[in-house]
Amino acid sequence: MNSRRISKPVRIGKVTVGGGGPIVVQSMTNTDTRDVAATINQIRELEEHDCELVRVAVPDMEAARAIAQIKPAISIPLIADIHFDYRLALAALEAGCDGLRLNPGNIGEPEKVKAIVKLARERGVPIRIGVNAASLPRSADPRLPVAQRMVDTALKQIQLLESLDFDLIKVSLKAFDVPTTVEAYRDIAAKIPYPLHIGVTEAGPPKSGVIRSAVGIGTLLYMGIGDTIRVSLTAHPREEVIAGYEILKSLNLRQHGPVLVSCPSCGRTEVDIVRLAEQVEAELAKISKPIKVAVMGCVVNGPGEARDADVGIACGKGRGVLFKRGEKIRVVEEKDLVKALMKEVEEL
Ligand code: SF4
């Protein structure tokens, strides 16, 4: 894995993005922001899943003003997502948002961006320049490859912000196409000092979207690129947060709750390993300790993985051997395995 690109740290409320700090997991609500109660409830649920930054859509003035009511009821920083109308950005800033996301392709004249920057600077609020391949400005040269057009668009906006003496900048360059996304980020990572928000946009429903996101985000993280991630899924946003941590955990970039090692099962399996693993996964979802748990189907790799985990079981015919911190503890009947395993997990 490449060493991490160290970007210029930017603070969004109480959370620092970049500077080599932990890679921040964020999501976006899918409630109507004007429905203050529903939006607060969803953000609180995201907080329970350790979401660290949340973005809300601001489609109109009522939504912008709702931020003033939402903010005091939540504990993670809130980013306002603005399209088309710069006045919505001004209203969101007035309402106390901690960050702004602007799509330079649709805000319009530099004068409008200038007005936003002036107020953001006064309030110390960072701006993410969020370029999306599907909404590049008309000024981008259509003869150039999409990734290059995305980078050029972002650089132009960065220059505009810098010319206004503003450097509280984050950048994202998202496309649905993974190679385009990776290429765009790789290019811009070498050209600017700012932190990068990475993700694959409109990745799809959970099954395909998690894979697409994991390939795109994972490739970039492996290259050392990325300071905050959003897994964009057509699903409840809690799924985005869960997937985000799984991606980071799989690259050993963050610890978050348990890791479950379970074998895929095969013709050698003599217990219902699929059901066992599902039951253990459901139980582990209630645990926040960063531990490794193994549920293995037979003696081929079972004892090795189970020994290597904090707690593990290696199953045989209708029973399993329970391991804890590398030591064999006892043999347990299949019907008691989940209970016995979870008892050991709780005692760790
Ligand atoms: S651990 Fe055993 S049961 Fe599980 S996949 Fe490997 S060989 Fe099959």
Side-chain angles (χ1 to χ4, degrees), residues 263-266 268-269 296-298 300-301:
C263 81
S265 82
C266 73
R268 285 196 187 82
T269 322
M296 302 295 291
C298 83
V300 176
N301 295 321

Side-chain angles (χ1 to χ4, degrees), residues 203-223:
K207 262 191 188 165
S208 53
V210 166
I211 294 171
R212 182 169 278 273
S213 293
V215 172
I217 293 172
T219 302
L220 285 164
L221 291 173
Y222 195 81
M223 290 159 69

Side-chain angles (χ1 to χ4, degrees), residues 114-166:
K114 278 183 194 171
I116 300 171
V117 168
K118 185 170 176 286
L119 191 55
R121 190 182 34 239
E122 278 170 32
R123 307 218 160 201
V125 169
I127 297 177
R128 165 157 70 97
I129 296 170
V131 177
N132 189 311
S135 53
L136 288 168
R138 280 194 207 100
S139 56
D141 187 343
R143 291 164 302 182
L144 295 174
V146 177
Q148 200 178 331
R149 273 189 275 160
M150 290 163 72
V151 171
D152 290 351
T153 302
L155 290 176
K156 229 184 228 169
Q157 292 298 317
I158 291 167
Q159 278 154 13
L160 174 60
L161 266 53
E162 286 175 337
S163 73
L164 300 167
D165 202 19
F166 187 84

